[in-house]
Amino acid sequence: MTNRRRRLHLAAAFTLSLALAACGGGGGSPSTSEANTTRGPIKIWYSNNAEEVKWGESVVAAWNKDHANEQVTAEQIPAGKSSEEVIGASITAGNTPCLVFNTAPAAVPQFQKQGGLVALDSFSDGASYIQGRTGPRADQYKSPDGKFYQMPWKTNPVMIFYNKDVFAKAGLDTKNPPLKTYDEFLATAKTLVAKGGVKAAIWPSPASEFFQPWFDFYPLFIAQTGKQLVENGEPQFAGPEGVAVGEFWRQLYDQGLAQRELYNGDAFADKKAAMAIVGPWAIAVYGEKVKWGVVPIPTKDGKDPSQVQTFSDEKSSAMYSSCQNRATAWDFLKFATSEENDGSLLETTGQMPMRTDVTTAYPAYFKSHPDYTIFAEQAARTVEVPNVPNSVEIWQTFRTAYSQAVIFGKDDVQSAFSQAAEQVKTLAARS
């Protein structure tokens, strides 16, 4: 599935998920104490992405070979539907699989509200395993009650991809492009549009879906501040640094360096835009089409690249409450996220396991795939969406204000962000 299609499916998914939550969660879930010690066959779901299917089939086969009485049955989430849509409906019906290896962090508060998730802390080694594998970043995946309802699994840290041929045509340095600061980025953008033969320097989607800030505003906000959109119930985006990010993007739109209309396709792949904000999945997608380079997300005054953080674009694994044999499910989850199987995930998909030691654990992979090294290093410096109540409504509230003020220039950025922050604070305070 292309990145654009994945985002569109995600939008439809949450519309349905919110409606399902209003109907209440499904029944029939076993008690935690009973289910956590029960073993037997389990069912799991994984993404219909071809590379992840290959990885999943291999891991399941390896497990089943040695666990005759605890067989795992694995299925792809049906083609044409998003994982969030399927999961939300299954929680309501009470027939979720034990594990889903494709759970969006932004969906976790909603699924938790539906009563659909198992706290992994309920296993004696649950929290310690997650923290040991993921390191300090694991705390971003805790729910407000302090528990882990998701296992941080894999990440696609976003960075700036740029077309070297376009940069060369515009007379710009292709090895060390001037993109570190906001001022450099803006000046470079002007040169690219004027001399590089592209319609836009960068062309993020101007659509209104709640998740769109993850690929325009949020990476720059994270790079500048290291903060989540909401922390401790308080919106962070209406302060000077958040407003500066908004003003930076507004200049790009006002000067025609980013386009206000939706591009029907991939503007970077089609060479209509010189840059894109993407993760390591883009190496395989663009590798044969574009002579590309990659640099960190810009910051106001040009931070040292080793200090720049970015949006994680992470997917988690989670255990669902209708699972009867949770002891088996927990053991399989640990098996699937072991160092060996995380290495298999990296080798098969090019996506980064949420481990503290990716570059040192798999030196042979990065020696043979040097293009991925910069993403592996960036993967250690990522920030997630906030795990807060009403997360989708919060993101939608922000996106609406951003669209009006930044993309279409109809409101003052500071005023729009401040008004949105008041609404977001109220939403974050609701259960």
Side-chain angles (χ1 to χ4, degrees):
M1 180 181 292
T2 67
N3 199 49
R4 181 173 178 269
R5 284 181 60 206
R6 178 172 66 81
R7 296 174 193 170
L8 292 175
H9 284 169
L10 190 62
F14 276 105
T15 300
L16 178 59
S17 180
L18 288 169
L20 291 170
C23 299
S29 298
S31 67
T32 298
S33 58
E34 177 185 358
N36 278 17
T37 58
T38 303
R39 298 184 176 279
I42 65 168
K43 182 178 179 180
I44 71 168
W45 284 346
Y46 43 62
S47 167
N48 57 13
N49 173 281
E51 290 78 17
E52 288 183 42
V53 171
K54 181 180 178 181
W55 170 84
E57 289 175 342
S58 175
V59 171
V60 168
W63 171 274
N64 285 344
K65 182 180 178 181
D66 297 327
H67 297 84
N69 297 321
E70 299 175 84
Q71 294 285 286
V72 175
T73 302
E75 295 180 4
Q76 298 177 42
I77 295 174
K81 294 183 178 180
S82 72
S83 59
E84 289 75 21
E85 180 180 6
V86 175
I87 294 167
S90 294
I91 291 172
T92 299
N95 60 4
T96 48
C98 280
L99 299 169
V100 177
F101 287 84
N102 199 35
T103 299
V108 168
Q110 192 62 52
F111 293 161
Q112 185 182 343
K113 185 177 181 180
Q114 287 181 262
L117 298 174
V118 175
L120 299 178
D121 313 64
S122 61
F123 299 95
S124 61
D125 60 342
S128 62
Y129 180 82
I130 293 171
Q131 291 165 336
R133 176 177 176 269
T134 309
R137 289 177 296 163
D139 286 346
Q140 298 180 60
Y141 297 87
K142 286 182 178 179
S143 289
D145 64 3
K147 297 179 180 180
F148 289 107
Y149 292 86
Q150 59 185 311
M151 166 87 75
W153 177 39
K154 63 186 179 73
T155 181
N156 279 280
V158 300
M159 302 182 75
I160 300 289
F161 254 46
Y162 65 96
N163 186 320
K164 289 186 176 181
D165 288 337
V166 173
F167 272 63
K169 183 177 180 180
L172 295 163
D173 189 338
T174 60
K175 292 184 178 180
N176 186 28
L179 295 169
K180 291 182 180 179
T181 70
Y182 295 170
D183 288 344
E184 283 182 346
F185 196 105
L186 286 165
T188 295
K190 291 177 184 177
T191 302
L192 289 166
V193 172
K195 301 179 180 179
V198 288
K199 187 175 182 179
I202 191 166
W203 201 329
S205 173
S208 61
E209 296 99 343
F210 73 91
F211 56 86
Q212 296 294 354
W214 304 346
F215 305 99
D216 49 31
F217 173 85
Y218 202 40
L220 273 76
F221 177 72
I222 290 169
Q224 185 62 35
T225 68
K227 295 179 180 179
Q228 294 182 311
L229 195 79
V230 178
E231 294 189 349
N232 299 316
E234 294 291 334
Q236 302 296 309
F237 57 84
E241 292 171 313
V243 171
V245 174
E247 294 286 5
F248 166 78
W249 278 107
R250 178 159 174 168
Q251 289 184 69
L252 286 167
Y253 284 107
D254 285 350
Q255 297 176 38
L257 307 174
Q259 295 297 311
R260 292 185 168 110
E261 68 266 20
L262 183 67
Y263 185 79
N264 186 23
D266 188 322
F268 185 73
D270 294 343
K271 302 179 182 179
K272 302 298 183 181
M275 295 179 285
I277 296 178
V278 291
W281 59 264
I283 293 175
V285 172
Y286 298 135
E288 300 300 320
K289 298 178 181 178
V290 179
K291 187 177 180 182
W292 55 268
V294 61
V295 294
I297 299 294
T299 56
K300 187 176 185 298
D301 298 315
K303 287 185 180 180
D304 185 308
S306 66
Q307 302 301 311
V308 175
Q309 300 186 71
T310 191
F311 173 55
S312 64
D313 198 15
E314 190 265 359
K315 277 293 194 296
S316 292
S317 301
M319 188 181 299
Y320 288 81
S321 56
S322 60
C323 183
Q324 302 289 328
N325 297 317
R326 295 181 190 172
T328 296
W330 175 237
D331 283 350
F332 180 79
L333 182 54
K334 291 187 289 184
F335 175 77
T337 56
S338 66
E339 182 174 323
E340 179 180 355
N341 285 319
D342 276 348
S344 175
L345 178 73
L346 177 64
E347 185 75 42
T348 305
T349 70
Q351 299 181 69
M352 306 294 156
M354 285 286 287
R355 302 186 66 90
T356 60
D357 57 350
V358 173
T359 53
T360 55
Y362 311 110
Y365 176 84
F366 291 106
K367 183 177 181 179
S368 60
H369 299 78
D371 289 342
Y372 286 84
T373 301
I374 190 171
F375 283 101
E377 293 169 347
Q378 183 66 71
R381 303 185 303 277
T382 56
V383 174
E384 189 49 72
V385 299
N387 190 324
V388 292
N390 304 301
S391 62
V392 173
E393 291 178 79
I394 284 171
W395 281 106
Q396 190 63 72
T397 298
F398 174 77
R399 184 61 176 185
T400 299
Y402 180 91
S403 296
Q404 286 288 104
V406 175
I407 298 176
F408 300 108
K410 295 180 180 179
D411 295 325
D412 173 73
V413 174
Q414 178 68 76
S415 298
F417 280 19
S418 294
Q419 290 174 23
E422 289 300 315
Q423 298 175 56
V424 165
K425 185 174 182 178
T426 299
L427 288 166
R430 294 177 185 167
S431 60

